[in-house]
Amino acid sequence: MRIAFVAWNTFKETVRNRVMVNILIFAVGLILLSLVVGDWSLGHQVKVIKDFGLSAMSIFGLLIAIFIGIRLMVQELEQRTIYVIASKPIHRWEIVVGKYIGLGVTLAVNVVLMSLALWGADLIMEGKMDLGLVPAILLIYVEILLIVGFALFFSSFAAPTLSALLTLAVFIIGHLSEFLREYVQLYPDKGFHWLLKCLYYVVPNLEKLNLKMAVVEQIERPPHAVSYGFLYGVAYITLLLFLTAAVFAKKDFK
Amino acid sequence: MSNLAIRTEGLTKIYKGELGQKSIVGLEDLNLEVFEGEVFAFLGPNGAGKTTTIKLLTRLIYPTKGKVWILGRQNTTRLSMEKVGYLPEQPQLYGYLTGGEFLDFLSRIFGLDSEVRKRRTAELLDRVGLGRQKDLLIRNYSRGMMQRLGLAQALINDPSLLILDEPMASLDPIGRKDFRDLILELKRQGKTIFFSSHILSDAEMIADRVGILNHGRQVSVGRLGDLVSSQVTSVEVTFVLDPTKLSQSDLGTKDVVVQAEKVLVHLREEEEVPDFLKRIERWGGRVVSVVPQRKSLEEVFMAEIGR
Amino acid sequence: MKAFLKKAVFVVVLCCLGFLIHRTQWVLDKSKRIHFVDTTPVFLPRGEVLKWMSMGYRGIVADWLWIRCVLYYGRRAIDEDNPYYIYMLEKGNPEKEFEAIRTPPESKETPSYPRGDFRSALARRSSLGLVDYIYPMLDRLTTVDPHFVFPYIFGGVYILIGTGEKEDAMDLLKKGYVANPSRWEFPLYLGWIEWWFFENKEKTQEYMLQAVSKKGCPTYVPGLIVSLSRNIGRTEFAKLYLEGMLKSTENPEVRKQIEELLARISEEGS
């Protein structure tokens, strides 16, 4: 229950954050802008709207993950607000998990609002709401949560700027992970091959959580793409929370 | 040990230096005992290790060596903090919450039920003088208001032990008086109060026992009265003597102040007093007062830290 | 009063400066007409590189490339030198129009045609930039998003009609067919190109048979295969093809164009 209280408190903190609100307004605006941009696509407005909407959700989720996810931990440590809560009868891991869940709930609300904007645009253009986008939206949400996990992990031991850069690096490498897999096949040399393979499995493969193109163009996908993608994301997130809790538990609050 | 609110054994904290820098000893081999029901003042100059000690007691940092017991329980688990209230130095609180929301949040951590939470939140806010600002966001609080709310959150769980780090530093004289009164009231309720302070006069007014820390080591500890009374610097003897007889006496002029018939003499040693009194009788004088001059806490403090 | 005057002077100075900025910019704009040159494909990396640079946003990057293509094509479509635009203006003999599009200008001597004759535009098509821009862009676009079908058809059919670049068109359609083997459009249009530009009936039949085997293939295709085997004339083949397209197209502008073409073919027939 203590986790729930910390989560609720974190939810209040993030919701009352002007940065979050501004990012959300911008995202919704961009989605609605796609109605105009779609006109230039020579009859493919629906595709453009869906691509815009899903990409906006992903990009703004990433921005929120970096700006607010890092701030969540760093602010507590720099402003020393952590003293009051950490000296109470609460486990440190409960603080970490509570903060994560709180931000996760806020992100869920953001994703729902952005989805509604997207479906609104779709309704205007197509006259119907394409519920086939739900798997992609779900995995976008999992991807954002994974990035938040990394942001929280890095910020538990690194300075804010470095944490932001590392989180961004994970995002970039995560999306290039598929390229790494192809590259591995090109290099049969054992030593190098082994190293690249290790790197491939350590870095999260964010393309496994990317169904944007598949849902928009209704491309056939493997039967368990969504469920296994979800499981992959959740397992990685759990690992990150474990590591963050372990680092946080041993930390001296100077 | 059962009536010890705080006990430390060989408590040491060494801060590891950054790349190429030496380690810093924050605290060295502290053996501290604070009895239940007393007010203990922990004094020392800046950088002495007072805040380090308090952070070690409240599990904000981990000791390099040594152990800590809080209310009979070793403070390696979160349960040791159940009956403890902690006020950090210049407390930073969540600016996005109101005072009421903040106290409510913390009381939930302690598992208090809804009725108790509401009642206690309202009571504490009134008690610290923030009753009217219940719905004001903390980010709009003044320094003094923040300190008051900090004290309120330290009392939210009706603790048996209060650990306060520089509690009166940000308060004006009225605030400090209110704070002292509150501490004495809490003491009457049987609570133990452990606080660090720079303001020696406040410590003199309310502390039962005092510990002095310097460069990470405890240099002095004891009852306030003992610490101060054990340090008699001189004895002031006042007597009345006819000026003509004074000039004929073997009094001398050193450490002597004469005002009409009244003579004030400072004797360096307490042992000189009986002999001197006999001399006054021989000269035909009349003793008015004999007052031992004790060191003030400030003088004790300055002596202990070597200045 | 003094404060009011200060404010008034401040506002007047601001307005004057704003007007000066606007006016000088207007004069400069008038003196030099913009000559539209778009060199984007030269500076964009290859499709493979763009694909990885997109980092999971391939759909929207492809959309951006597509919109650029559409806007470019739209700009060129109102350019006088655009052959398709001229073709629409001319409304000459449909047989001759098709013939002119079919035959690449390189194979002929370069005659001089009167101004406004679309054939003169065709002769100069390499300077139009359409081919230099559209095909490289479409190549990158389709590498980034291989399942975005319409760009293949745009390059493989529409641009082909305007430029006669059958090799580029075929390469694009073949690329699309490899990436989308279950789509009927690719073998159908490949078959059409084989018939119209190369007069290779066997290859055409082969492609059309493949098209028929795909889900969603229009119902007129089997009829086309049969008529191919009966060695009917090009005009009749074109009529059958256009009638089939008319049934499967809902876009009113495209329908209008097809109906106009059909009408001309029917006039010729009668």
Side-chain angles (χ1 to χ4, degrees):
Chain A
M1 280 306 280
R2 284 184 296 272
I3 295 174
F5 301 139
V6 174
W8 176 240
N9 192 52
T10 307
F11 177 74
K12 269 196 226 168
E13 178 185 4
T14 47
V15 155
R16 291 178 188 182
N17 188 320
R18 281 180 213 125
V19 170
M20 164 84 74
V21 172
N22 290 338
I23 289 175
L24 182 65
I25 289 172
F26 199 61
V28 169
L30 199 68
I31 292 168
L32 296 175
L33 181 69
S34 65
L35 286 166
V36 172
V37 175
D39 261 354
W40 304 333
S41 62
L42 204 71
H44 290 85
Q45 293 95 325
V46 173
K47 179 186 186 302
V48 169
I49 285 163
K50 288 177 186 173
D51 279 333
F52 245 80
L54 293 173
S55 300
M57 229 182 273
S58 175
I59 290 169
F60 290 112
L62 175 71
L63 288 175
I64 292 169
I66 290 179
F67 283 116
I68 293 169
I70 288 169
R71 216 178 112 121
L72 220 55
M73 204 54 92
V74 163
Q75 194 161 269
E76 287 266 18
L77 296 171
E78 283 189 345
Q79 292 187 1
R80 299 177 301 159
T81 47
I82 194 72
Y83 288 4
V84 165
I85 184 167
S87 58
K88 297 289 181 277
I90 182 168
H91 292 292
R92 289 201 186 177
W93 67 263
E94 287 174 325
I95 299 173
V96 168
V97 173
K99 283 201 164 290
Y100 183 80
I101 291 174
L103 185 54
V105 169
T106 310
L107 287 166
V109 169
N110 277 308
V111 166
V112 165
L113 289 172
M114 287 194 272
S115 303
L116 289 174
L118 171 57
W119 276 318
D122 195 21
L123 194 66
I124 291 169
M125 199 48 65
E126 242 187 330
K128 62 169 183 163
M129 285 164 41
D130 183 5
L131 294 175
L133 299 176
V134 169
I137 293 171
L138 179 67
L139 289 185
I140 285 172
Y141 178 60
V142 173
E143 183 190 0
I144 296 169
L145 286 181
L146 185 54
I147 299 296
V148 168
F150 273 104
L152 216 61
F153 172 62
F154 291 134
S155 59
S156 66
F157 60 85
T161 315
L162 182 61
S163 300
L165 289 172
L166 287 171
T167 308
L168 193 61
V170 164
F171 174 78
I172 293 169
I173 297 169
H175 278 290
L176 292 176
S177 199
E178 276 292 307
F179 171 73
L180 192 67
R181 193 160 77 112
E182 287 182 17
Y183 199 74
V184 163
Q185 286 164 2
L186 285 172
Y187 282 87
D189 173 67
K190 279 194 179 160
F192 202 33
H193 184 269
W194 178 85
L195 183 69
L196 288 175
K197 220 174 175 180
C198 270
L199 192 63
Y200 172 73
Y201 282 109
V202 164
V203 171
N205 187 342
L206 295 178
E207 285 296 320
K208 300 295 182 216
L209 302 173
N210 185 5
L211 287 183
K212 295 194 277 294
M213 247 169 55
V215 299
V216 171
E217 283 157 12
Q218 288 158 2
I219 301 164
E220 209 177 299
R221 54 180 185 262
H224 303 298
V226 180
S227 50
Y228 270 82
F230 183 80
L231 199 62
Y232 175 71
V234 167
Y236 221 109
I237 289 164
T238 310
L239 174 71
L240 285 169
L241 286 176
F242 259 114
L243 290 172
T244 310
V247 169
F248 202 63
K250 292 290 163 216
K251 197 172 176 62
D252 278 347
F253 298 131
K254 289 183 205 159
Chain B
M1 192 159 121
S2 59
N3 63 343
L4 285 172
I6 299 174
R7 182 176 158 239
T8 69
E9 203 175 84
L11 193 62
T12 303
K13 178 66 184 176
I14 299 171
Y15 292 107
K16 287 198 184 119
E18 304 286 321
L19 287 165
Q21 286 185 328
K22 277 171 65 178
S23 308
I24 298 167
V25 177
L27 192 68
E28 197 178 340
D29 198 31
L30 178 70
N31 297 296
L32 181 68
E33 285 179 349
V34 176
F35 298 100
E36 281 180 15
E38 71 172 357
V39 179
F40 189 100
F42 204 49
L43 310 174
N46 288 332
K50 305 188 298 297
T51 300
T52 300
T53 307
I54 285 176
K55 284 183 179 175
L56 285 163
L57 296 177
T58 51
R59 302 176 73 231
L60 292 176
I61 59 177
Y62 297 103
T64 310
K65 265 192 299 188
K67 291 178 184 170
V68 177
W69 285 266
I70 300 287
L71 297 169
R73 201 184 244 159
Q74 207 172 343
N75 82 336
T76 47
T77 67
R78 66 169 188 91
L79 292 171
S80 61
M81 303 306 289
E82 262 187 344
K83 292 307 280 178
V84 176
Y86 166 57
L87 171 63
E89 184 182 357
Q90 291 188 349
Q92 296 293 333
L93 312 172
Y94 295 129
Y96 55 88
L97 296 175
T98 63
E101 284 175 336
F102 180 64
L103 292 179
D104 184 68
F105 164 58
L106 291 176
S107 57
R108 285 172 194 261
I109 305 264
F110 284 105
L112 303 178
D113 68 44
S114 167
E115 197 52 54
V116 173
R117 281 203 316 266
K118 277 189 198 146
R119 186 174 39 83
R120 214 175 269 179
T121 300
E123 273 172 12
L124 282 169
L125 285 172
D126 284 332
R127 200 168 182 193
V128 299
L130 292 173
R132 281 197 206 157
Q133 288 90 2
K134 180 167 73 84
D135 295 323
L136 182 66
L137 286 178
I138 294 172
R139 65 165 68 101
N140 299 318
Y141 274 26
S142 66
R143 190 73 251 142
M145 289 164 77
M146 199 84 86
Q147 194 78 13
R148 289 165 193 271
L149 186 63
L151 180 64
Q153 66 80 28
L155 294 169
I156 195 69
N157 58 324
D158 191 25
S160 308
L161 167 64
L162 269 166
I163 299 175
L164 314 172
D165 197 351
E166 303 277 356
M168 290 173 271
S170 309
L171 299 176
D172 58 29
I174 298 167
R176 284 181 19 216
K177 188 191 178 297
D178 290 339
F179 212 98
R180 285 197 301 270
D181 292 343
L182 181 61
I183 288 177
L184 291 172
E185 189 195 320
L186 292 168
K187 184 195 165 178
R188 277 194 293 275
Q189 290 172 13
K191 299 190 193 302
T192 312
I193 294 119
F194 177 91
F195 74 97
S196 72
S197 184
H198 285 132
I199 307 167
L200 302 176
S201 56
D202 288 332
E204 256 181 312
M205 277 186 237
I206 56 174
D208 297 319
R209 291 204 310 141
V210 166
I212 299 175
L213 205 66
N214 193 23
H215 296 307
R217 294 194 74 90
Q218 186 167 272
V219 294
S220 188
V221 64
R223 295 200 68 77
L224 186 65
D226 295 341
L227 261 181
V228 169
S229 68
S230 66
Q231 308 271 348
V232 174
T233 51
S234 59
V235 183
E236 196 181 85
V237 181
T238 312
F239 61 92
V240 170
L241 186 64
D242 192 86
T244 50
K245 284 184 184 168
L246 180 66
S247 58
Q248 290 166 0
S249 70
D250 59 349
L251 185 57
T253 54
K254 201 177 177 187
D255 296 332
V256 175
V257 175
V258 181
Q259 207 174 8
E261 285 188 339
K262 258 199 192 151
V263 183
L264 187 103
V265 175
H266 277 100
L267 298 172
R268 294 281 165 85
E269 306 290 335
E270 238 180 321
E271 292 76 26
E272 290 173 35
V273 172
D275 211 36
F276 190 74
L277 290 175
K278 282 181 188 158
R279 284 166 74 190
I280 292 170
E281 209 182 338
R282 236 191 3 257
W283 296 329
R286 182 171 56 84
V287 175
V288 174
S289 66
V290 178
V291 180
Q293 300 297 305
R294 291 177 175 78
K295 273 187 178 173
S296 69
L297 184 59
E298 188 176 336
E299 287 171 302
V300 172
F301 181 83
M302 292 303 201
E304 291 295 351
I305 65 166
R307 295 218 184 106
Chain C
M1 192 61 188
K2 219 175 174 179
F4 175 74
L5 271 171
K6 263 189 178 171
K7 277 185 191 163
V9 166
F10 180 70
V11 168
V12 166
V13 166
L14 266 182
C15 290
C16 289
L17 284 170
F19 180 74
L20 181 69
I21 291 165
H22 165 73
R23 197 75 197 160
T24 46
Q25 190 171 359
W26 185 77
V27 168
L28 287 167
D29 285 343
K30 257 188 102 178
S31 64
K32 190 179 177 182
R33 203 168 162 261
I34 295 168
H35 178 64
F36 177 69
V37 174
D38 199 325
T39 54
T40 309
V42 178
F43 296 108
L44 277 178
R46 290 183 300 120
E48 277 296 323
V49 177
L50 265 180
K51 185 171 94 172
W52 295 116
M53 279 169 67
S54 306
M55 276 188 296
Y57 297 103
R58 287 160 65 179
I60 200 162
V61 169
D63 288 343
W64 168 72
L65 289 168
W66 170 240
I67 287 169
R68 286 200 74 106
C69 285
V70 168
L71 291 176
Y72 184 91
Y73 185 76
R75 275 193 291 264
R76 299 305 289 180
I78 62 170
D79 186 316
E80 276 189 50
D81 292 335
N82 186 295
Y84 190 70
Y85 183 66
I86 303 300
Y87 166 75
M88 292 305 294
L89 277 182
E90 290 294 311
K91 293 181 197 268
N93 187 320
E95 189 71 43
K96 282 192 181 162
E97 281 160 8
F98 279 109
E99 194 173 341
I101 291 164
R102 254 181 80 177
T103 318
E106 285 93 6
S107 63
K108 294 192 222 173
E109 295 164 47
T110 320
S112 63
Y113 296 101
R115 178 107 182 99
D117 189 323
F118 76 95
R119 284 169 291 183
S120 71
L122 267 180
R124 289 180 286 117
R125 81 181 183 291
S126 59
S127 69
L128 295 175
L130 253 184
V131 168
D132 297 334
Y133 185 92
I134 294 281
Y135 280 113
M137 287 291 273
L138 288 176
D139 180 52
R140 283 159 173 80
L141 191 169
T142 51
T143 306
V144 171
D145 187 355
H147 304 294
F148 189 3
V149 171
F150 191 75
Y152 294 109
I153 297 166
F154 183 74
V157 179
Y158 295 107
I159 302 298
L160 168 63
I161 291 173
T163 64
E165 290 289 338
K166 49 187 184 293
E167 275 81 18
D168 284 337
M170 287 212 59
D171 287 343
L172 193 61
L173 286 171
K174 280 176 183 171
K175 185 183 175 188
Y177 195 15
V178 166
N180 302 278
S182 61
R183 297 294 293 237
W184 58 265
E185 290 94 334
F186 297 105
L188 181 69
Y189 294 127
L190 281 164
W192 174 74
I193 293 171
E194 289 287 356
W195 168 251
W196 202 259
F197 287 89
F198 299 103
E199 292 188 30
N200 188 339
K201 255 201 313 192
E202 287 74 31
K203 210 71 184 143
T204 305
Q205 257 183 327
E206 191 189 315
Y207 274 126
M208 297 246 171
L209 278 168
Q210 286 176 26
V212 162
S213 68
K214 313 290 178 193
K215 191 179 164 189
C217 184
T219 47
Y220 62 78
V221 177
L224 281 175
I225 298 170
V226 169
S227 56
L228 270 170
S229 61
R230 277 204 243 128
N231 274 322
I232 60 164
R234 282 198 333 271
T235 311
E236 206 177 315
F237 185 85
K239 204 172 155 184
L240 276 169
Y241 183 72
L242 286 170
E243 277 166 0
M245 273 186 76
L246 193 64
K247 281 179 196 160
S248 62
T249 307
E250 285 172 20
N251 189 313
E253 279 175 30
V254 174
R255 283 182 71 89
K256 195 180 158 198
Q257 287 171 22
I258 296 170
E259 277 161 5
E260 280 172 9
L261 281 169
L262 260 175
R264 277 189 227 130
I265 289 167
S266 302
E267 274 173 35
E268 178 204 310
S270 61

